[in-house]
Amino acid sequence: MPIASPEAYAEMLDRAKAGRYAYPAINVTSSQTLNAALKGFADAESDGIIQVSTGGAEYLSGPSVKDMVTGAVAFAAYAHEVAKKYPVNIALHTDHCPKDKLDGFVRPLMAISQERVKGGQEPLFQSHMWDGSAVPVAENLEIAAQLLDEAAKGKIVLEIEVGVVGGEEDGVENAINDKLYTTVEDGLAMVEALGLGEKGRYMAALTFGNVHGVYKPGNVKLRPEILNQIQEAVGAKYGKDKPLSLVFHGGSGSLLEEIREALDYGVVKMNIDTDTQYAFTRPVADHMFRNYDGVLKIDGEVGNKKQYDPRTWGKLAEAGLAARVVEACEHLRSTGTRMK
């Protein structure tokens, strides 16, 4: 199937909320990790979301180029081509973009999609994230409103973050404290500023103790009930049941019961990066240790070309990541839900 159209993406998100499941959103940094994610979604018979961060996009552009827009456009072009061969719907997304990178990342990409839409094509990316967690809520929502208007022109879904995700991702680090919990007041202010779809479609990453990076299950106090409280408050004010489409950030290491509870409260997208990074790298490390004298030319020997061929260990890495995507789909209840 081709990359999801705006209409297909909207249906994906609606079906997920109605069915109390969510799509894994897999961060990728290369054609290999992209291919592995695609295979994982196909194996699970689940539609899905594949995304790049600012750092991932810069990496994709090449070490001597280091241009986020170039890398993101190259990633999207490759994804649009290879995704045609898989029987699932895939949406392309850009992950966390802070204020100082908007002009060098999200805004240029939105402009590209707007031009494509004007010419009768589909947008390049189906959604973009604005990460305003580092600025005051009022400023966060003011920028979000501006971006939502631009996103709507390009048939793009906007993702915003209201609250703070702790830990570190792509050089952005936040402390683990009370700011990790979005308040009901913040949720109401968000809807006051952005509406409930009439100004453009958006998803909200409301925080309930989420932390990026590596931590053992139970070490971080997640409070999924916060999502329910905000849904109920917004729903009561506007006369709608579960009106918000929510995003779960910092999902690596979360307990399954916490994940499932968040799904019941309207989470339709959960970001997974740390776990899939490890799933990709672990088989490579195993191969290198097991074939040490084959991948290295030790003591003047010639090594073993079949063992150091990047395709040999690359296939193992891709299989590891794909398997972790299948597991994520099972955790998020999206297995077998692909739209046909």
Side-chain angles (χ1 to χ4, degrees):
M1 294 178 181
I3 292 295
S5 66
E7 295 75 20
Y9 191 29
E11 185 178 350
M12 283 169 58
L13 299 177
D14 288 342
R15 284 164 55 105
K17 187 161 67 169
R20 298 194 173 196
Y21 61 88
Y23 299 107
I26 307 300
N27 281 72
V28 302
T29 54
S30 65
S31 60
Q32 283 187 300
T33 48
L34 166 61
N35 287 332
L38 287 169
K39 185 179 187 304
F41 284 123
D43 288 348
E45 296 187 348
S46 169
D47 301 322
I49 300 168
I50 296 178
Q51 59 191 25
V52 289
S53 63
T54 54
E58 182 182 276
Y59 181 82
L60 278 156
S61 74
S64 63
V65 177
K66 294 186 177 181
D67 181 82
M68 295 181 291
V69 173
T70 297
V73 171
F75 154 76
Y78 184 86
H80 274 268
E81 193 60 38
V82 296
K84 296 175 185 176
K85 302 293 184 180
Y86 291 87
V88 289
N89 298 278
I90 299 295
L92 303 182
H93 177 78
T94 60
D95 201 9
H96 292 269
C97 183
K99 182 179 177 181
D100 64 341
K101 293 182 179 178
L102 282 174
D103 289 341
F105 191 53
V106 163
R107 287 193 173 110
L109 291 173
M110 281 189 176
I112 290 171
S113 286
Q114 288 171 2
E115 288 302 311
R116 286 170 61 97
V117 169
K118 286 179 184 177
Q121 297 176 279
E122 303 287 10
L124 190 63
F125 283 83
Q126 286 61 61
S127 52
H128 294 293
M129 183 190 175
W130 148 237
D131 183 353
S133 60
V135 302
V137 173
E139 182 182 1
N140 180 354
L141 296 178
E142 180 181 358
I143 294 172
Q146 296 167 357
L147 292 172
L148 184 61
D149 183 58
E150 294 301 313
K153 294 175 184 176
K155 297 184 178 180
I156 298 162
V157 176
L158 182 69
E159 179 184 331
I160 70 166
E161 183 172 312
V162 180
V164 176
V165 176
E168 187 273 335
E169 182 173 61
D170 263 7
V172 178
E173 188 167 357
N174 291 308
I176 298 175
N177 54 36
D178 288 344
K179 292 182 179 179
L180 301 186
Y181 304 97
T182 306
T183 66
V184 168
E185 291 73 23
D186 290 340
L188 291 168
M190 175 186 72
V191 177
E192 180 70 24
L194 304 182
L196 285 173
E198 68 276 8
K199 299 179 182 179
R201 183 153 191 160
Y202 67 95
M203 297 180 284
L206 306 180
T207 57
F208 52 101
N210 320 56
V211 176
H212 288 132
V214 181
Y215 60 92
K216 293 181 180 180
N219 281 12
V220 175
K221 179 59 178 176
L222 291 178
R223 296 172 53 199
E225 68 273 11
I226 286 175
L227 302 181
N228 191 42
Q229 293 166 6
I230 295 173
Q231 287 276 31
E232 289 184 343
V234 173
K237 182 173 181 178
Y238 293 92
K240 294 186 177 182
D241 179 48
K242 207 159 61 174
L244 302 173
S245 294
L246 304 178
V247 181
F248 187 155
H249 283 229
S252 296
S254 301
L255 297 172
L256 183 58
E257 57 264 34
E258 295 170 335
I259 293 172
R260 293 278 173 83
E261 185 179 355
L263 301 184
D264 291 339
Y265 299 148
V267 165
V268 297
K269 171 180 181 281
M270 187 174 98
N271 290 10
I272 303 174
D273 187 15
T274 302
D275 284 357
T276 46
Q277 285 180 351
Y278 184 76
F280 186 82
T281 301
R282 179 64 178 83
V284 180
D286 182 72
H287 175 80
M288 297 304 172
F289 283 125
R290 290 178 183 275
N291 300 284
Y292 188 78
D293 57 355
V295 297
L296 296 179
K297 296 182 178 181
I298 300 173
D299 296 331
E301 295 297 325
V302 296
N304 185 328
K305 183 179 183 301
K306 290 184 178 180
Q307 291 176 352
Y308 61 73
D309 184 334
R311 291 170 294 185
T312 299
W313 49 265
K315 289 176 184 176
L316 299 174
E318 289 182 34
L321 194 157
R324 184 60 183 84
V325 172
V326 170
E327 181 183 2
C329 291
E330 293 171 354
H331 288 171
L332 298 182
R333 304 179 182 143
S334 72
T335 302
T337 63
R338 69 180 179 93
M339 299 190 306
K340 300 177 182 177

